[in-house]
Amino acid sequence: MNSVILIAGARLQAVLLLVFSGYMLLRGHNAPGGGFIGGLIAATGFVVYAIACGTQDARKALRFDPGSIAGAGLGIALLAGVMAALWGDALFTGQWLFIGATEDSKGIPLSTVLIFDIGVYLVVLGAILSIAFSLEEAV
Amino acid sequence: MTPAGLIPVAIAGGLFIWFAQMIPVIGSGNTLRYVWEWVPSLGVNVSIYIDGLSLTFALLITGIGALVMLYSARYLAGHVHQARFSLYLTSFMLAMIGLVLSDNMLALFVFWELTTITSYLLIGFSHDTAKARRSALQALLMTGIGGLALLAGIILIGTTAGTFEMSEINAMPGVLTGSVMYLPIVLLVLAGAFTKSAQMPFHFWLPNAMAAPTPVSAYLHSATMVKAGVYLMARTHPSLAGTDFWLWTLTIAGAITMVFASVMALRQTDLKLALAYTTLMALGALTLLLGNESGYTITAAATFLIVHSLYKAALFLVVGILDAQTGTRDANSLFGLARAMPITATAAAIAAFSMAGFPPFLGFIGKELKYAGAIAVASEPIFVAGAVLISSALMVAIAGIVSFRPFWSRSGKPIAGVKEAPWPMLVGPVVLAILGAFFGIFPETLAITLVNPTVAAIIGGAEPAKELKLWAGVNLPLFLSIATFVLGFSIYYYKQKLRTILIDLTTRGPSFDNGWDKLMAGVAAGSKALTRTIQTGVLYHYMLVTFATALAVLAATLWFRSTGIPAMGFPQVALWDWLVFLLVLMGAALTLVTNSRITAIAGLGVVGIGMAMIFILYSAPDVAITQLLVETLVVVLFAAAALKLPHLTAEPLRKRWVDAVVAVGLGVVTTVILLKVTAGPIDRELTTFFETASWPQAFGQNIVNVILVDFRALDTFGEIAVVLIAAISIFALLKSKPEEEKQ
Amino acid sequence: MEQVLSVLIGILVASAVYLMLARNLLRFLFGLILLSNAANLTIFVAGRLTPGAPPLVPDGLDAPVGAVANALPQALVLTAIVIGFGLFAFALILAFRAYQSLGTLNTDEMRVAEPEEIK
């Protein structure tokens, strides 16, 4: 497919979807969204990009091998779970840190739960792209 | 011989000394018990129980073990796999020790199986010969099947008695004999004991096991492992014996094995095989004796157990020496070697005297006690005494064949250039033979150290052990002994004629070994036929059977357990709901009927969108978004792959009415189940917990996401791992080259 | 609405089973997708349906107000959808590679692992 409009559009929507996926990931704990949804959105962006510009370009745009992304995601998720042990809790117990918390507001919440969700995001993104790219290349 | 070859000797010897220092404690009537909980929820403990019976066995295992290992260090010196052999033999010894020391029946079973496996490895040690492989497999299967029966028996014992600790069970008289499960328990336990101790009709694996190197035959298949069955019968004796069934089963099986084996022993010209059959005979005698509960028979059993292990191990080792030094074990080519190998000849003679039951050797006392025990048996003493007389007489003859003829006979010329065996191979036979003579002259030393505690362990305080005496006065056993010698010498004199007759008889008669081969072939053919029937290799058959079974099970459950379909009026639902319903219906119908790939994929897409709409309508935004995104990806992937696949061909309904019936049936059943489920009450306990805990405990407002990444994070971790595995598998599938698979 | 969806699930299951019993591997895959949709919907419906009240905790409160949709089946279904996608992709590519290697999609002719007995 060599449509210039498609290629330009695909590039634009891939960027938009990537940003949107990050937004969905971060807000996931309090509103619809989360790692699964974020990962799927990002993957959709790259899949469309690959259809428009070919998997070569898509792989280049991704910078990392999708399999490695997925593997790293699983490792991050595991690490987030194991980190609970540092505080003496059972594995996969969420740990929270509220930066700048006041009486009324909880400030900026940082948590192992978020790290875990990032791991989920990366696994979903990496796994789907690995499947889609290798299938595109095989047919 | 290398120093490394002596490590097993040191292990066995050290253990022997450790057990030996317990003799004073156990001999004075104490028992030792140590318990470590292993799987407490299943009642499996590692518990060690040492009484007279287990100590006697432990001493035989380690003592003979040390001698045999010293012997094999020389016997197998320079063999490529000598290290392997030592490993197997040492593993076997440790397993056997575990077997006799375990108080917990399940632990005993584990060790029991370990001895089976090590025995398999040792019989098949010369794995480059087909005979060794077959014999090893035969022994493994026979004793393995028996082991499974034993496991079932042990479980029944455990559930009946409420514990798996044998010392506790034995302390509850009548708990098993009075139970309705008594008969199955006895049958299963005896199935294990009889296969292990090679009682008729499970005996044939033992002569075949002689394919193993001779030290193995001396150790496993004579002195120790085959006695595990005897040990089991002795160990369970307090709680299983005392019934007519026990008495008759053991008496008959033991007597038949004893007589059959001693006759078969005479038939053999291979000295090792002859000894193998005499081992069978001894096992039969022990089984027979253990059927009873009188002091005489149990004393006889305990004594004969020790006697037999001493002389039989010695004789096996002697045959091994003959084999190693002359290159043959054929009774008809070995004559007059006493001059060439005087030490071996002397040890053989002493052991043979014990075997034949001459005074003043321990074998004499053993035989006297057997006669006394036979006369004292609870039933049919004439039958039992007759069986003992025949087999004992044959023992006399065979003792002559095995250890008199090769060394002292002048009927043939001795093989020239034969040398005496090296010392490591002589230590075993000499020590064992001397022990037999020593205990014969001083029987009371054996009685107070081992026999009395063993008898006490088997029949408790019911009846004290009978005294071990060389001269018990002029009595019936003495006359029977004299008759034995007369008969034995006559048999020895006419051995060639008798052997010819026996060979003629046995070659014409049916053979257990051939029967085994036919059975094995039958099992193989049967399983192949069964596999062909249920594993057709056609996906359709598998799917149809799976779905039809699911339908049958669900429908049957509904039919028998049902309280009727809940009343259902025309549902009051909004227009939106009907539209979604129709959308999904159309999508499914499209996929179902079309022969176009694109139409089908579009239909699936419609179904997926409809699903997402349902999720949106009923307050599941996260699910709806996920569904939409996944649906998009499914369509993209499907379109990419499916267009490279061939067109669909029509599969008309009239040829597929069976499929249609199953499909509609499953659909109806699913609907009915769901209607019943949704008509009933719902337990929202978990949901309520998540709703109330989501914010205060996990600082998240989106309950679904909190469940996924916090409350049930470990599950989610498992799920993303599955996703990753799927991706890796797909990657591997696509990267493998199709050309390579084509034939 | 639970009743309507129960009937719909029944129809989806019937269609899925009928497709999975077809000889063509591609139809089998269609069936697989329908079946996993039906399974997800079953879990969802079994948790009861609540319109217009997503399981979210409002700002400043500790728990949702009033009856909100059952969050538990939603969490189950959400992961089931993603796993189902993994399964489907694997099955699709297995079929694709099987076709490349064997040159057929007819499952009756796929006999490499369990060849027909030569009589």
Side-chain angles (χ1 to χ4, degrees):
Chain A
M1 280 183 261
N2 289 324
S3 157
V4 178
I5 298 172
L6 179 67
I7 291 172
R11 283 202 178 131
L12 184 64
Q13 66 86 43
V15 172
L16 285 175
L17 283 181
L18 203 57
V19 173
F20 183 55
S21 77
Y23 167 70
M24 287 302 263
L25 165 68
L26 292 178
R27 73 169 212 155
H29 214 54
N30 295 322
F36 279 106
I37 291 171
L40 283 166
I41 292 173
T44 313
F46 275 102
V47 167
V48 175
Y49 188 87
I51 292 174
C53 313
T55 51
Q56 287 269 315
D57 277 11
R59 278 187 193 275
K60 233 180 260 169
L62 191 62
R63 281 169 195 273
F64 297 101
D65 172 55
S68 312
I69 294 178
L74 198 67
I76 289 171
L78 182 64
L79 202 66
V82 174
M83 270 161 76
L86 293 180
W87 285 272
D89 279 333
L91 294 184
F92 289 97
T93 308
Q95 306 296 331
W96 291 78
L97 181 66
F98 299 101
I99 296 170
T102 59
E103 282 286 306
D104 310 327
S105 131
K106 286 193 163 159
I108 301 165
L110 286 181
S111 65
T112 57
V113 171
L114 181 64
I115 299 173
F116 182 82
D117 223 6
I118 292 172
V120 173
Y121 173 96
L122 291 177
V123 172
V124 172
L125 172 67
I128 289 176
L129 288 186
S130 165
I131 296 169
F133 287 175
S134 42
L135 181 67
E136 292 276 341
E137 282 158 12
V139 297
Chain B
M1 207 162 67
T2 56
L6 295 176
I7 294 173
V9 186
I11 297 174
L15 284 167
F16 179 78
I17 293 166
W18 189 61
F19 285 121
Q21 55 88 22
M22 291 180 188
I23 291 177
V25 181
I26 306 296
S28 53
N30 300 309
T31 58
L32 300 171
R33 187 156 181 262
Y34 311 94
V35 183
W36 294 274
E37 287 190 350
W38 184 14
V39 191
S41 54
L42 293 176
V44 183
N45 297 325
V46 177
S47 47
I48 287 181
Y49 182 72
I50 303 180
D51 62 358
L53 179 63
S54 39
L55 186 64
T56 301
F57 267 95
L59 284 170
L60 287 174
I61 293 160
T62 50
I64 297 179
L67 295 173
V68 167
M69 283 164 184
L70 179 66
Y71 181 94
S72 17
R74 186 66 185 78
Y75 188 81
L76 283 166
H79 193 286
V80 202
H81 296 310
Q82 194 191 2
R84 186 185 290 180
F85 183 83
S86 297
L87 177 68
Y88 292 165
L89 211 57
T90 312
S91 316
F92 164 77
M93 181 183 73
L94 296 176
M96 194 67 205
I97 293 172
L99 197 164
V100 296
L101 295 188
S102 289
D103 195 21
N104 189 287
M105 294 290 275
L106 292 171
L108 180 144
F109 169 76
V110 172
F111 289 116
W112 179 281
E113 293 296 72
L114 282 176
T115 63
T116 299
I117 292 165
T118 41
S119 160
Y120 167 75
L121 293 170
L122 284 166
I123 298 173
F125 183 67
S126 312
H127 54 81
D128 43 1
T129 64
K131 186 167 173 284
R133 290 198 300 271
R134 174 180 179 273
S135 301
L137 187 64
Q138 189 181 50
L140 179 73
L141 288 175
M142 280 308 290
T143 53
I145 292 167
L148 284 181
L150 174 65
L151 177 61
I154 287 172
I155 291 169
L156 280 183
I157 289 178
T159 49
T160 309
T163 170
F164 286 106
E165 304 296 313
M166 209 54 222
S167 58
E168 291 171 17
I169 298 168
N170 283 343
M172 297 186 272
V175 69
L176 298 180
T177 42
S179 142
V180 283
M181 298 311 284
Y182 175 70
L183 197 60
I185 288 174
V186 170
L187 284 173
L188 290 167
V189 169
L190 287 185
F194 281 11
T195 46
K196 197 84 166 176
S197 282
Q199 296 299 295
M200 287 270 278
F202 311 115
H203 64 282
F204 49 89
W205 70 265
L206 185 55
N208 286 340
M210 295 301 130
T214 304
V216 174
S217 311
Y219 190 34
L220 272 73
H221 304 120
S222 175
T224 52
M225 189 192 87
V226 287
K227 297 238 172 71
V230 174
Y231 170 80
L232 183 69
M233 288 186 272
R235 181 49 82 209
T236 53
H237 194 277
S239 39
L240 290 179
T243 61
D244 278 352
F245 184 74
W246 176 271
L247 170 68
W248 281 109
T249 314
L250 266 66
T251 306
I252 293 173
I256 292 177
T257 308
M258 192 168 77
V259 173
F260 168 82
S262 46
V263 173
M264 286 300 285
L266 188 65
R267 178 202 182 285
Q268 310 303 327
T269 52
D270 181 343
L271 294 178
K272 201 173 165 188
L273 269 182
L275 284 180
Y277 277 103
T278 61
T279 302
L280 270 183
M281 172 268 168
L283 296 169
L286 288 168
T287 305
L288 182 147
L289 291 169
L290 282 172
N292 291 273
E293 315 179 78
S294 80
Y296 266 119
T297 49
I298 301 302
T299 312
T303 313
F304 187 56
L305 172 79
I306 301 166
V307 176
H308 173 258
S309 296
L310 294 180
Y311 76 67
K312 191 54 64 65
L315 288 179
F316 262 113
L317 296 180
V318 165
V319 168
I321 291 177
L322 282 175
D323 196 6
Q325 304 302 107
T326 67
T328 178
R329 298 193 306 244
D330 184 14
N332 289 330
S333 28
L334 292 166
F335 301 100
L337 291 168
R339 198 180 294 269
M341 28 177 45
I343 303 173
T344 312
T346 313
I350 298 173
F353 280 135
S354 198
M355 173 174 170
F358 285 112
F361 299 98
L362 188 55
F364 176 71
I365 299 173
K367 181 163 53 60
E368 295 285 285
L369 278 169
K370 262 200 287 175
Y371 280 127
I375 299 162
V377 295
S379 56
E380 305 296 330
I382 296 175
F383 162 72
V384 176
V388 173
L389 177 66
I390 295 172
S391 57
S392 299
L394 282 157
M395 281 312 102
V396 173
I398 289 153
I401 294 172
V402 172
S403 49
F404 174 74
R405 224 157 150 255
F407 295 107
W408 312 98
S409 166
R410 292 172 198 283
S411 335
K413 266 183 73 177
I415 299 172
V418 177
K419 289 202 192 90
E420 181 58 286
W423 72 267
M425 291 170 71
L426 287 173
V427 172
V430 168
V431 169
L432 292 169
I434 287 175
L435 277 178
F438 174 80
F439 287 135
I441 299 165
F442 305 106
E444 61 281 3
T445 50
L446 188 64
I448 54 166
T449 51
L450 293 178
V451 172
N452 293 353
T454 306
V455 173
I458 299 174
I459 46 174
E463 219 175 319
K466 296 299 161 190
E467 221 180 318
L468 265 60
K469 276 187 286 194
L470 206 49
W471 174 250
V474 180
N475 54 11
L476 193 50
L478 186 68
F479 286 117
L480 285 170
S481 267
I482 294 166
T484 310
F485 294 137
V486 175
L487 191 57
F489 284 127
S490 326
I491 296 172
Y492 180 74
Y493 188 73
Y494 290 110
K495 58 183 179 303
Q496 286 299 5
K497 259 183 206 159
L498 286 167
R499 191 179 285 155
T500 321
I501 298 170
L502 279 172
I503 289 175
D504 189 45
L505 271 176
T506 45
T507 40
R508 266 194 268 152
S511 146
F512 283 95
D513 219 22
N514 291 345
W516 169 263
D517 283 340
K518 286 201 183 101
L519 182 70
M520 285 294 108
V523 169
S527 57
K528 198 175 173 191
L530 188 67
T531 310
R532 274 295 142 208
T533 319
I534 52 178
Q535 303 279 318
T536 56
V538 177
L539 180 68
Y540 171 73
H541 293 156
Y542 299 156
M543 296 308 297
L544 187 63
V545 169
T546 308
F547 284 132
T549 309
L551 175 60
V553 171
L554 291 173
T557 312
L558 276 179
W559 182 263
F560 290 113
R561 294 285 177 84
S562 178
T563 46
I565 299 169
M568 185 174 143
F570 192 76
Q572 296 296 313
V573 290
L575 180 65
W576 260 114
D577 294 332
W578 283 120
L579 287 178
V580 174
F581 177 82
L582 283 176
L583 191 69
V584 176
L585 201 61
M586 267 172 51
L590 211 57
T591 316
L592 202 57
V593 298
T594 184
N595 286 327
S596 149
R597 291 161 303 176
I598 291 295
T599 314
I601 293 167
L604 288 173
V606 169
V607 172
I609 304 286
M611 296 276 295
M613 290 172 80
I614 293 170
F615 293 136
I616 291 175
L617 283 173
Y618 292 96
S619 326
D622 292 273
V623 186
I625 300 168
T626 312
Q627 170 75 29
L628 266 178
L629 291 165
V630 165
E631 207 50 50
T632 315
L633 288 166
V634 165
V635 171
V636 169
L637 286 192
F638 223 158
L643 296 181
K644 302 284 174 183
L645 298 175
H647 289 279
L648 295 169
T649 47
E651 297 181 49
L653 181 61
R654 69 191 135 74
K655 285 188 187 162
R656 296 189 56 201
W657 62 270
V658 177
D659 305 352
V661 169
V662 173
V664 170
L666 266 176
V668 170
V669 164
T670 313
T671 301
V672 172
I673 291 173
L674 256 181
L675 284 174
K676 293 166 83 68
V677 166
T678 50
I682 182 168
D683 180 359
R684 279 180 69 109
E685 194 188 333
L686 264 181
T687 308
T688 312
F689 165 77
F690 289 131
E691 283 171 356
T692 49
S694 183
W695 179 251
Q697 289 186 24
F699 314 111
Q701 291 169 297
N702 181 356
I703 301 170
V704 175
N705 186 264
V706 171
I707 293 176
L708 285 177
V709 296
D710 199 331
F711 290 126
R712 307 299 310 166
L714 187 59
D715 293 351
T716 308
F717 181 74
E719 280 147 8
I720 56 176
V722 171
V723 172
L724 183 59
I725 291 167
I728 294 170
S729 320
I730 290 166
F731 185 79
L733 260 179
L734 285 171
K735 295 297 165 186
S736 67
K737 295 222 165 59
E739 289 78 18
E740 288 168 3
E741 294 158 16
K742 283 187 182 151
Q743 278 132 19
Chain C
M1 186 60 184
E2 278 94 347
Q3 293 169 346
V4 177
L5 286 186
S6 299
V7 174
L8 186 64
I9 289 167
I11 294 169
L12 284 177
V13 167
S15 317
V17 170
Y18 188 75
L19 283 167
M20 288 176 87
L21 284 170
R23 299 306 209 274
N24 188 304
L25 203 51
L26 204 50
R27 281 209 173 88
F28 178 92
L29 290 175
F30 298 155
L32 190 66
I33 294 177
L34 282 184
L35 198 64
S36 75
N37 275 331
N40 292 340
L41 204 53
T42 304
I43 297 171
F44 190 65
V45 171
R48 304 302 188 276
L49 303 171
T50 312
L56 299 171
V57 181
D59 289 337
L61 292 179
D62 277 355
V65 190
V68 294
N70 198 340
L72 189 58
Q74 293 192 18
L76 295 178
V77 171
L78 198 151
T79 48
I81 291 173
V82 179
I83 298 238
F85 172 75
L87 172 69
F88 157 75
F90 181 73
L92 173 70
I93 286 163
L94 199 60
F96 177 71
R97 290 287 283 108
Y99 177 70
Q100 281 189 329
S101 294
L102 305 172
T104 178
L105 275 182
N106 188 332
T107 56
D108 286 1
E109 293 163 17
M110 294 183 171
R111 302 296 297 258
V112 176
E114 294 166 273
E116 241 167 315
E117 185 92 319
I118 297 150
K119 292 202 174 130

